[in-house]
Amino acid sequence: MDKFDRQIIALLRADARLAVSQIAREINLSRSAVSERIRQLEQAGTIQGYHARIAEPADGAVKAFLELFYKDGRCENYVERMRSFTEIRRCCGISGETDMLVYVEAASMARLSEIRGLIENFPGMQKVKTHMVVQEWAM
């Protein structure tokens, strides 16, 4: 990866919908050269997709990671249950003592508490730990 590839990636991170012609103007390469570089970055797996940046939750919203510990079963058994909560943004099966890490963005502490209580009552759930997000940095 050279400086042009890094510039292309930086521009696409800032705006995934940026036109190839605009990228070409920004980094002083031809459209065909930029298109070919993007194609190569995609094929190499460096660029894995293009995503929309969604607005942060409204004021008063709370964010937390829930650390789940359950007796038997696999993550897949719980993931489908998690899909019923619109506030759950991500579920990750992880290694180590914790079975699953769940990222939640709730409208209020009361709603977060409600979600946590419902998850605690899932069959086989042993323990739920809550880790509140107090500060974030965009990457």
Side-chain angles (χ1 to χ4, degrees):
M1 188 174 342
D2 64 11
K3 74 174 190 170
F4 293 112
D5 291 337
R6 286 189 295 276
Q7 288 174 324
I8 290 168
I9 290 169
L11 289 167
L12 288 173
R13 273 190 175 144
D15 183 358
R17 294 182 62 180
L18 201 57
V20 171
S21 58
Q22 180 62 34
I23 294 170
R25 280 192 298 277
E26 295 273 338
I27 67 172
N28 202 26
L29 284 179
S30 69
R31 284 187 47 200
S32 60
V34 169
S35 293
E36 179 60 21
R37 284 175 177 269
I38 290 172
R39 187 189 64 73
Q40 289 173 355
L41 289 166
E42 290 169 342
Q43 285 184 338
T46 303
I47 296 176
Q48 296 181 348
Y50 299 87
H51 307 281
R53 188 176 312 145
I54 308 302
E56 292 295 319
D59 288 339
V62 293
K63 300 176 185 181
F65 289 91
L66 302 179
E67 196 176 355
L68 308 184
F69 302 82
Y70 39 85
K71 281 188 255 187
D72 299 314
R74 303 171 40 86
C75 290
E76 292 82 5
N77 299 345
Y78 292 94
V79 169
E80 282 309 311
R81 292 174 180 265
M82 300 298 171
R83 290 187 203 283
S84 67
F85 300 102
T86 58
E87 297 90 347
I88 292 180
R89 303 289 187 242
R90 183 167 297 232
C91 293
C92 302
I94 61 175
S95 63
E97 195 176 309
T98 303
D99 293 306
M100 184 184 286
L101 201 57
V102 177
Y103 178 66
V104 182
E105 291 179 357
S108 66
M109 271 308 241
R111 178 61 180 152
L112 177 63
S113 181
E114 180 182 357
I115 292 167
R116 181 195 158 118
L118 292 167
I119 291 171
E120 283 177 322
N121 288 319
F122 285 174
M125 192 62 60
Q126 290 182 304
K127 179 169 67 170
V128 177
K129 283 183 172 179
T130 304
H131 303 274
M132 299 302 299
V133 174
V134 295
Q135 192 169 8
E136 281 186 280
W137 294 270
M139 296 295 170

